[in-house]
Amino acid sequence: MNLNSHLVQRMLRLPPPLTRELTVDRDLRVPMRDGAVLLADRWTPKSGGDGLPTALLRIPYGRAGTTAGPMVRPLAERGFQVLIQSTRGTFGSDGPFDPLRREREDGLDTLEWVIKQPWFGESMILVGMSYLGFVQWAVADAVPPQVKAMIPAVSESALTLEFLRADGFSLETPFGWGVQVAGQERPFAMPRQMLGGKKLQRALHTLPLNQADTAAMGHRSDYIQNILAHDAGTPFWQGLDHRHRVADITVPVSTVGGWYDIFLPGQLRDYRTLQDAGRSPIRLTVGPWAHISMGVGQTAAAEALDFGLALARGEEPAERAPVRLFVMGEEQWRDFPSWPPPGYEPQRFHLQPGGALSAEAPAGSPSDGYRYDPADPTPALGGVRMAFGVKSGRVDNTSLEARPDVLTYTTPVLDEDVEVIGEVSAEIFFRSSLPYADVFVRLCDVDPRGRSTNICDGLTSLTGADETSMAEVRMWPTAYRFKRGHRIRVQVSSGAFPRYNRNPGTGEPRATATTLRAADQQVFHDPQHPSAVILPVRRNRPA
């Protein structure tokens, strides 16, 4: 094991290995029902590997190197034999790589092959993050009885569809991912991606957007062209949506997520579906993480060894509450019986004149206004982002709130803690000078020094925005304690570029839009238009 692997394992904070002596059988050929062959590597202890529980990872990013190695070795050294397979069309596996489309059929064929192998024992688990989690959701309702647990992290059963909402197209993440996988098998792919971060960010300003892939990497990408051309609700993406299968999953599930991960809303939806169906055991762990934070990998590996390995051995996992959440602001882990937790009720915090925010109903007042110019779009700052060289999660919002195209509304100093855990939303009464506009809302914590830190946010796109209407903004769920002496703040603007695509104001299709029109926006807060953010607040005063 090289020095880098030692470092990764120390960072994962896992229990000591049972062995450091491993062997790898490479390029095992796994046949699919249509004749394609997918390649896999099997990692085992040098002695006694046959018959151990199997951990299966199906990955599009290669079976070796800095992506796969840190996921495989820790498990193979601590009680598993590990099979890591390259998905169709990647790293030697047959077929074209058509992201996400063949994972149900190929996954089920792989499971059938594994349980027939002479080295297979009596049990296996499914494990992995992001795409490696999606491939679990795609098959989980139909796995053989030998599958004893699944551990999907920062993932959900309809993976791509969160990007492609017609009411809020997330541009940066799928575009960056499309560029990544298009060049991932070239020499020095990882350094190229890291060094190419600024070039990618520049490419996102390209008009029309259907030329941005060429600007970023010199050629077109079918995946990028498809995400630009097809919204989530179109038949084109139907085969990627496995939400309807989740209620039929009976295998135990431990799912790991982050408060600043793009897939969190769908992940919590999937967990709640299992919860409502009465499935057990199931676990949910959500930390203060973005998509690629080290804490995600650390916790997923720990769950594979605690929850997954115990079940694979026919034992009971260590007892813990079904839901474990990191409560930001308090900066502590807390256990709960369910998601969303009991004891929290929606409370409206109304936008008020003069930039105030309070639980009181708004009095009569004129609207607030700002000018949004897509040629100088309101930037994304921290939050839900997963691009190379871009800071995600909690950041100082001072520079963002100083912009003239961002409104802020802030409570007085809190005289007691306010704890918020659950689903967050906003209702903003809004009018634009153009029929097409976006409304972006962000919740922040302002500390006694005046530093504003983002907690959660969301965006919705409007049609008919030149008529006064209520924009319903679904924001990211959160767990946060606003401390006594702090203030609660809400930002309202019309963009967070390039996390979300900038709204050109013309209604043109996003792939081919070339004209950018500035708009004058109005936000209303009066008795007839009670704009508010709705927070799930703990009923009793926190201890």
Side-chain angles (χ1 to χ4, degrees), residues 512-535:
T512 56
T514 55
T515 302
L516 301 177
R517 295 181 62 190
D520 294 312
Q521 323 288 50
Q522 289 178 277
V523 172
F524 298 86
H525 40 72
D526 57 59
Q528 290 73 43
H529 308 98
S531 293
V533 63
I534 299 96
L535 305 181

Side-chain angles (χ1 to χ4, degrees), residues 127-140:
V127 63
M129 300 164 51
S130 194
Y131 196 111
L132 287 75
F134 172 79
V135 301
Q136 299 173 57
W137 290 112
V139 301

Side-chain angles (χ1 to χ4, degrees), residues 327-345:
V327 181
M328 299 179 293
E330 184 183 24
E331 306 304 307
Q332 290 187 10
W333 288 98
R334 300 247 301 277
D335 286 347
F336 300 90
S338 62
W339 177 266
Y344 295 82
E345 293 184 347

Side-chain angles (χ1 to χ4, degrees), residues 211-340:
Q211 296 178 13
D213 49 0
T214 302
M217 54 187 176
H219 60 85
R220 293 170 75 83
S221 157
D222 288 344
Y223 174 75
I224 290 175
Q225 293 298 318
N226 287 334
I227 64 168
L228 294 174
H230 304 284
D231 287 332
T234 63
F236 184 86
W237 299 111
Q238 187 172 353
L240 279 62
D241 187 353
H242 299 284
R243 287 176 291 185
H244 61 289
R245 308 185 193 279
V246 175
D248 295 326
I249 295 172
T250 57
V251 63
V253 177
S254 178
T255 183
V256 178
W259 295 124
Y260 295 97
D261 177 47
I262 195 166
F263 300 119
L264 180 66
Q267 182 178 15
L268 294 177
R269 178 205 63 230
D270 289 339
Y271 181 83
R272 191 165 185 177
T273 298
L274 294 172
Q275 176 182 271
D276 292 348
R279 304 298 182 229
S280 180
I282 55 173
R283 287 181 178 180
L284 169 68
T285 307
V286 187
W289 307 312
H291 190 74
I292 56 176
S293 298
M294 177 62 74
V296 175
Q298 172 186 328
T299 306
E303 285 298 290
L305 294 169
D306 174 29
F307 184 83
L309 186 56
L311 290 167
R313 290 172 170 169
E315 304 166 356
E316 289 296 319
E319 187 173 346
R320 56 155 269 193
V323 175
R324 179 165 290 170
L325 308 176
F326 187 88
V327 181
M328 299 179 293
E330 184 183 24
E331 306 304 307
Q332 290 187 10
W333 288 98
R334 300 247 301 277
D335 286 347
F336 300 90
S338 62
W339 177 266

